[in-house]
Amino acid sequence: MSIPKKGTRKIIVDGQPFIWLIRRQATYTQSCYAGGNIHVGVEHAEKQGSVLVILTDRPHPQCLVDINEVKPVTPSDAAQWIGQAVRLGWQPRRSGITFNVQIAGLFMEKI
């Protein structure tokens, strides 16, 4: 599985190029009915391998229920999360199943 290239952003983490994407249109699991948080897809930019899916603790902008302020996902957030995922065991250059993680406060956990 790979993420679509349209709308991706490039980022360098620990000398490795990655692309990351936040869907503009909320999926069902990003909707208010299922929690309403932003999901980020990441993959290595040069060698297609395992995809990283980050379930953030940030509310999706299309879920306007009980949201006072939307906190965007910045490139520095993405870089930090990619580094944490690699330390958790994500191998972006090796093909395999999707590596799913969830942000829990300041930490990340594999799900």
Side-chain angles (χ1 to χ4, degrees):
M1 178 178 140
S2 67
I3 61 175
K5 303 300 182 248
K6 186 175 181 178
T8 60
R9 298 183 69 182
K10 294 182 180 180
I11 192 166
I12 305 292
V13 178
D14 296 330
Q16 294 292 313
F18 294 93
I19 56 173
W20 62 288
L21 171 73
I22 299 172
R23 288 178 52 109
R24 293 187 189 278
Q25 188 68 21
T27 63
Y28 177 78
T29 57
Q30 292 174 316
S31 69
C32 297
Y33 304 110
N37 290 340
I38 295 173
H39 299 174
V40 180
V42 182
E43 73 179 3
H44 198 274
E46 295 173 350
K47 182 166 185 344
Q48 206 173 47
S50 175
V51 173
L52 169 65
V53 174
I54 304 166
L55 308 179
T56 72
D57 55 356
R58 313 254 171 108
H60 197 284
Q62 291 181 349
C63 180
L64 300 176
V65 178
D66 296 329
I67 296 177
N68 296 328
E69 182 180 337
V70 174
K71 186 175 179 187
V73 175
T74 64
S76 63
D77 293 328
Q80 178 185 1
W81 294 337
I82 292 167
Q84 286 181 4
V86 169
R87 287 189 292 281
L88 276 176
W90 178 47
Q91 298 177 337
R93 296 175 62 121
R94 179 177 279 174
S95 63
I97 61 172
T98 302
F99 195 85
N100 295 296
V101 294
Q102 182 172 353
I103 303 301
L106 296 175
F107 303 99
M108 175 183 284
E109 60 187 10
K110 187 174 183 318
I111 52 174

